[in-house]
Amino acid sequence: FGVFAALFAICCFVIKPFFFHMMTKSFEFEKRIFDEPKANKKRLKYLSFVNKELVLNIRDIDISGSLLLVYILAPTLLYFINSVFSAISTSLSGEIMTYAFNVLLMLVPYLASNSVIATLYSREGRAAYMKKTKPISLIFPLSSKVFVYIILSTCSIIASGVVFASFTKGSDLGSVCPTLLTITIVLLQLAHMYYSATLDIMNPQNEAYATTGSSENNQNENRSTSVAFIGAILFAVISYALMVECHLYDGNYNIAFIKLLIIGIVAAASCFYLFVAKVKAYYYEK
């Protein structure tokens, strides 16, 4: 409620006056004169592409707005659901089920939102082929399009990890397991992001976006979303099985979360390797 109240106050006292100020100003016919020319800034190659993608994403409110909404609502929803779980008296097996359900809730919104990444390169239309003419490694401009989403989603996942840690405070999980789980979710998010980007590289829809501006029933988006839900459910089931196994043998849940971390590392490394391999195969002329 505090977040919604703050957003409502911003709309009333900041955005609304700014909107009326823009509406009453005839800026279309005003000529701006810059007295002092600004010097060009020299940036590193990768940072230049990241800066360009950041500006483009800020201007495209359809993508940035929907993703920011997901990244804000995901930890908020997790907090409210864990508040309900905290008020319920459960058995030990029930607690393990709530932990696995937390894993599912942390994965589904983040992985499902990556369907946008499955259209990142196709949305550029025919301009996407201009990347082949740049005298640098194509990994720089292609991976920079994903970098902005990596930063935003990582911040949101860390917030979700803090919520999960507060929910499990005083339990047998301790403080190490929530940290390991947060790192694992970040790695799985990276894996699915690069997987979705690879789908768009392997099956581009540039002509559809160049001619109509959209692609109805995009196969890349559908496949990315399907893998997101299936992978989230499968990983939650695996996490539940590993936690039950640790409880039956020695009660040390750190081993279960270390195994989950290994799965995340393998998934992220594999998807990034396939991304680089597909870029070399589909973008470099033989």
Side-chain angles (χ1 to χ4, degrees):
F1 289 106
V3 171
F4 289 131
L7 293 176
F8 181 77
I10 292 174
C11 290
C12 292
F13 299 106
V14 178
I15 298 178
K16 188 177 179 180
F18 179 71
F19 172 75
F20 285 115
H21 175 72
M22 291 182 61
M23 292 295 294
T24 56
K25 186 177 181 181
S26 59
F27 58 88
E28 296 93 344
F29 306 102
E30 292 181 358
K31 184 178 180 181
R32 296 182 180 181
I33 300 176
F34 297 96
D35 296 330
E36 297 181 0
K38 295 182 179 180
N40 291 329
K41 294 182 180 180
K42 184 178 180 180
R43 295 187 177 94
L44 298 176
K45 290 183 293 185
Y46 192 75
L47 292 180
S48 299
F49 289 109
V50 170
N51 181 68
K52 185 202 76 168
E53 297 302 330
L54 179 61
V55 173
L56 291 177
N57 280 280
I58 292 175
R59 292 177 178 177
D60 193 348
I61 192 63
D62 292 335
I63 296 179
S64 59
S66 59
L67 286 179
L68 284 175
L69 184 64
V70 171
Y71 296 154
I72 293 173
L73 289 181
T76 306
L77 178 63
L78 189 69
Y79 173 79
F80 284 120
I81 292 180
N82 283 337
S83 299
V84 176
F85 286 153
S86 300
I88 300 175
S89 178
T90 58
S91 61
L92 184 58
S93 60
E95 289 184 3
I96 296 177
M97 291 185 65
T98 58
Y99 299 154
F101 190 67
N102 269 261
V103 174
L104 181 64
L105 287 178
M106 292 173 69
L107 279 175
V108 167
Y110 296 117
L111 299 187
S113 65
N114 292 337
S115 60
V116 175
I117 298 178
T119 63
L120 275 183
Y121 308 111
S122 297
R123 289 177 184 272
E124 295 181 338
R126 298 186 183 96
Y129 300 110
M130 294 178 61
K131 289 185 174 63
K132 293 185 177 182
T133 64
K134 295 179 179 179
I136 58 173
S137 176
L138 292 177
I139 301 298
F140 287 105
L142 292 175
S143 62
S144 64
K145 296 187 73 67
V146 190
F147 185 79
V148 177
Y149 302 100
I150 292 176
I151 297 299
L152 294 177
S153 61
T154 300
C155 295
S156 180
I157 292 173
I158 292 174
S160 298
V162 172
V163 173
F164 180 73
S166 63
F167 171 65
T168 60
K169 187 176 181 180
S171 65
D172 295 334
L173 293 185
S175 60
V176 177
C177 293
T179 304
L180 294 176
L181 179 62
T182 303
I183 298 174
T184 303
I185 300 298
V186 171
L187 291 173
L188 292 176
Q189 173 74 346
L190 291 175
H192 193 256
M193 278 185 170
Y194 282 111
Y195 169 77
S196 301
T198 305
L199 289 177
D200 196 28
I201 290 176
M202 295 177 61
N203 185 28
Q205 308 291 323
N206 300 82
E207 286 300 320
Y209 281 98
T211 55
T212 63
S214 62
S215 178
E216 299 295 335
N217 195 21
N218 194 315
Q219 296 179 358
N220 299 333
E221 286 184 320
N222 297 337
R223 188 175 299 178
S224 175
T225 305
S226 300
V227 172
F229 281 98
I230 295 174
I233 294 172
L234 182 61
F235 190 80
V237 171
I238 293 174
S239 63
Y240 174 77
L242 291 176
M243 283 187 284
V244 170
E245 180 185 10
C246 290
H247 168 69
L248 293 177
Y249 284 95
D250 55 3
N252 186 8
Y253 292 100
N254 292 342
I255 299 176
F257 284 90
I258 289 174
K259 292 180 180 179
L260 295 177
L261 179 62
I262 293 174
I263 295 175
I265 293 173
V266 172
S270 302
C271 291
F272 182 74
Y273 172 79
L274 291 175
F275 173 78
V276 174
K278 299 302 180 182
V279 168
K280 292 180 179 179
Y282 284 81
Y283 273 83
Y284 285 95
E285 300 292 340
K286 301 297 183 183

